[in-house]
Amino acid sequence: MKQERRRSARSFHQFWQQLNPAQQFSVFELQRFGYELSFVREQEQQRVAVLKAGDRLASVDAEGQINIAPTVVLRD
């Protein structure tokens, strides 16, 4: 059986603090279009912010680049 890694729900503020200024700017811009910061994932030694707007996803990499068609696998 696979062990659940999620311990407890984190708040927006906790995720926000994990982002660098470039990511924070991009997340702020995406929020203007209805996206909400869902979580921050560490991939290949870099943090990636993942946002949701309904059934749409977006990601923001360490340089602040926005990807509105990310290949992110979500757990149920």
Side-chain angles (χ1 to χ4, degrees):
M1 179 183 258
K2 198 171 195 178
Q3 182 180 3
E4 178 63 38
R5 294 185 341 181
R6 293 175 282 188
R7 301 278 185 244
S8 62
R10 291 189 178 183
S11 70
F12 171 85
H13 183 69
Q14 289 172 312
F15 288 131
W16 184 258
Q17 289 182 320
Q18 294 179 11
L19 304 178
N20 66 38
Q23 288 173 309
Q24 289 176 346
F25 179 81
S26 294
V27 167
F28 179 75
E29 289 298 310
L30 283 168
Q31 287 176 323
R32 293 178 43 210
F33 297 98
Y35 285 87
E36 294 181 9
L37 181 59
S38 293
F39 59 91
V40 177
R41 181 176 284 175
E42 191 147 334
Q43 293 180 320
E44 300 173 11
Q45 312 299 329
Q46 294 185 3
R47 289 192 171 113
V48 176
V50 178
L51 298 91
K52 290 170 56 173
D55 60 348
R56 297 176 296 159
L57 291 177
S59 66
V60 178
D61 67 14
E63 288 80 35
Q65 295 294 314
I66 297 171
N67 181 352
I68 59 169
T71 55
V72 176
V73 177
L74 300 178
R75 294 182 275 189
D76 292 330

